[in-house]
Amino acid sequence: MFPTSKPSVFYPFLPPSGHHFSFVSMPLCSALLNPAISIAENVLHFKAQGHGAKGDNVYEFHLEFLDPVKPEPVYKLTQRQVNITVQKKVSQWWERLTKQEKRPLFLAPDFDRWLDESDAEMELRAKEEERLNKLRMESEGSVETLINMKKGYLFMYNLVQFLGFSWMFVNMTVRFFILGKESFYDTFHSIADMMYFCQMLAVVEAINAAIGVTKSPVIPSVIQLFGRNFILFIVIGTMEEMQNKAVVFFVFYLWSTIEIFRYPYYMLSCIDMDWKVLTWLRYTVWIPLYPLGCLAEAVSVIQSIPVFNETGRFSFTLPYPMEIKVRFSFFLQIYLIMLFLGLYINFRHLYKQRRRHYGQKKKKIH
């Protein structure tokens, strides 16, 4: 089992543990030529020619392993050494490397890379912790990315709505100062397209509340969306006689005034900014504006009742044998009741929000 010439020194790495172990063959020569390395019947065979101080020599040894190994060794040849890697058939701890109990004289362990069972467990535990930390960081990174995407989406939505309602507010204000009361009667034809766009886009708010993208309660969001769209698309939008009435100006103006404070507040909240003046306006201006807006909507419904009765729009007759004509004005009267009920629900919701921000602080009892 010794080389035929000067003995080589072999350092087995991690012999008892892991899936494989390595050797470094360091013959006392300047170079190795034509190494023959193989495993047969669980025995590692090594033979190589090297040129040393005394000329050419042949280096050879045979090493029988303790347990079965795979018969395909992998080696890498350099100018000074040969690195040989042998893989175990079963990954388990070995009591020793060779079948013979006494270690060959030419074989020595590299204690810098030696692992016993407890060391291996610690290393495996460290690797597992590193893997879990990496997964955790990746998970946190993906969650943070989703949060940032949600904030960006909400910021853009509120920005678009703020720009739309601001344009309408400025348009109506400027036209009022230039034309006076005459601007009331063509308000619909001047800004209807933008109001249609903003109110159709407002459907997103109800969806966000329903699927949990925002913390807004669903019922108040749906009530406001349904109420405004009913007034805009049905009461005013379908009847030309209603589009020239002054009440349209007050409905649109009050809606816009409320939203030019609400949307920028939520827009800045997306980037964690709190402008105290804007926050106060958002939670205060609704107190007079919501009732006034509800009153303007009610006036538009009342003014539309005789128009719908005269035109018969959306009226229908029940089938035989009842054959009763049902006027759309009947539903408008029911809507008036629902309008004030919705006002109460939204008013109560907004009042709770304001109390959370500006509620009276409890006095300390001395």
Side-chain angles (χ1 to χ4, degrees):
M1 294 188 63
F2 290 92
T4 59
S5 185
K6 291 185 178 180
S8 304
V9 182
F10 297 88
Y11 297 95
F13 298 157
L14 323 180
S17 64
H19 297 278
H20 64 271
F21 43 83
S22 302
F23 297 91
V24 177
S25 170
M26 299 180 65
L28 303 180
C29 61
S30 58
L32 287 173
L33 299 174
N34 303 320
I37 303 170
S38 63
I39 296 178
E41 298 181 355
N42 213 42
V43 178
L44 174 65
H45 301 278
F46 176 88
K47 184 177 181 180
Q49 185 177 358
H51 182 78
K54 295 183 179 181
D56 292 336
N57 292 289
V58 176
Y59 297 87
E60 182 179 10
F61 76 93
H62 309 283
L63 196 63
E64 186 176 6
F65 297 110
L66 177 66
D67 287 328
V69 296
K70 293 185 178 180
E72 302 90 10
V74 178
Y75 69 91
K76 181 180 180 182
L77 178 64
T78 66
Q79 290 184 351
R80 296 288 298 174
Q81 65 187 36
V82 180
N83 296 291
I84 307 170
T85 301
V86 180
Q87 189 171 1
K88 300 175 183 178
K89 282 191 174 181
V90 179
S91 178
Q92 61 183 7
W93 285 90
W94 288 8
E95 294 179 0
R96 58 184 182 275
L97 180 65
T98 60
K99 192 168 185 179
Q100 66 181 76
E101 295 185 5
K102 187 177 181 181
R103 177 170 56 84
L105 295 177
F106 64 88
L107 197 63
D110 182 358
F111 289 105
D112 291 336
R113 301 184 62 181
W114 182 279
L115 286 182
D116 59 22
E117 191 168 0
S118 59
D119 293 333
E121 289 179 355
M122 291 178 63
E123 184 178 85
L124 290 173
R125 192 179 301 113
K127 289 182 178 179
E128 182 66 15
E129 290 180 359
E130 182 180 355
R131 186 183 69 84
L132 293 175
N133 288 334
K134 185 177 180 181
L135 291 174
R136 191 179 300 112
M137 290 177 64
E138 291 177 353
S139 176
E140 290 175 355
S142 61
V143 170
E144 185 177 355
T145 301
L146 290 175
I147 292 174
N148 291 334
M149 290 178 61
K150 185 180 81 169
K151 286 184 177 181
Y153 154 71
L154 293 175
F155 180 88
M156 291 303 301
Y157 167 77
N158 288 291
L159 175 61
V160 171
Q161 289 287 57
F162 169 64
L163 293 175
F165 280 104
S166 296
W167 181 88
M168 289 185 283
F169 177 83
V170 172
N171 184 293
M172 287 185 285
T173 302
V174 171
R175 293 181 72 257
F176 174 74
F177 279 108
I178 295 175
L179 302 175
K181 294 181 180 179
E182 294 299 322
S183 66
F184 292 170
Y185 304 104
D186 62 347
T187 297
F188 182 86
H189 302 287
S190 300
I191 67 170
D193 291 339
M194 182 61 72
M195 185 61 77
Y196 281 143
F197 171 77
C198 290
Q199 283 306 128
M200 286 189 291
L201 188 60
V203 175
V204 173
E205 289 184 49
I207 296 174
N208 289 340
I211 65 178
V213 175
T214 61
K215 296 181 180 179
S216 303
V218 179
I219 293 178
S221 300
V222 172
I223 288 176
Q224 177 169 300
L225 175 67
F226 173 79
R228 286 189 179 183
N229 285 349
F230 181 82
I231 297 296
L232 176 62
F233 291 97
I234 303 299
V235 175
I236 300 175
T238 61
M239 305 298 294
E240 293 185 7
E241 294 85 346
M242 289 297 301
Q243 296 170 7
N244 298 321
K245 293 185 179 294
V247 70
V248 176
F249 172 86
F250 294 99
V251 171
F252 287 2
Y253 199 78
L254 289 167
W255 286 358
S256 300
T257 306
I258 292 171
E259 304 303 6
I260 62 174
F261 298 113
R262 187 169 71 95
Y263 283 117
Y265 168 78
Y266 287 124
M267 184 176 66
L268 294 181
S269 297
C270 293
I271 55 177
D272 300 322
M273 288 183 62
D274 183 16
W275 186 21
K276 292 184 179 180
V277 175
L278 180 61
T279 301
W280 184 86
L281 289 171
R282 186 266 177 272
Y283 287 106
T284 304
V285 295
W286 64 267
I287 297 175
L289 293 180
Y290 258 81
L292 289 175
C294 183
L295 180 61
E297 294 175 24
V299 171
S300 67
V301 173
I302 293 172
Q303 291 183 354
S304 70
I305 289 177
V307 178
F308 278 103
N309 284 338
E310 291 176 6
T311 60
R313 178 71 62 86
F314 302 130
S315 297
F316 59 92
T317 302
L318 294 175
Y320 180 85
M322 300 185 67
E323 296 184 351
I324 299 175
K325 186 174 183 178
V326 180
R327 295 182 178 275
F328 186 67
S329 58
F330 171 74
F331 297 99
L332 292 176
Q333 294 169 15
I334 296 176
Y335 176 78
L336 281 174
I337 300 174
M338 297 174 59
L339 179 65
F340 289 99
L341 178 62
L343 172 65
Y344 168 76
I345 294 174
N346 278 345
F347 204 94
R348 186 166 174 265
H349 166 64
L350 291 171
Y351 178 71
K352 287 182 177 180
Q353 284 188 329
R354 193 177 194 281
R355 283 192 63 183
R356 281 198 294 268
H357 281 80
Y358 299 105
Q360 294 182 353
K361 296 181 179 179
K362 295 182 180 180
K363 296 181 180 181
K364 294 182 178 180
I365 301 176
H366 297 285

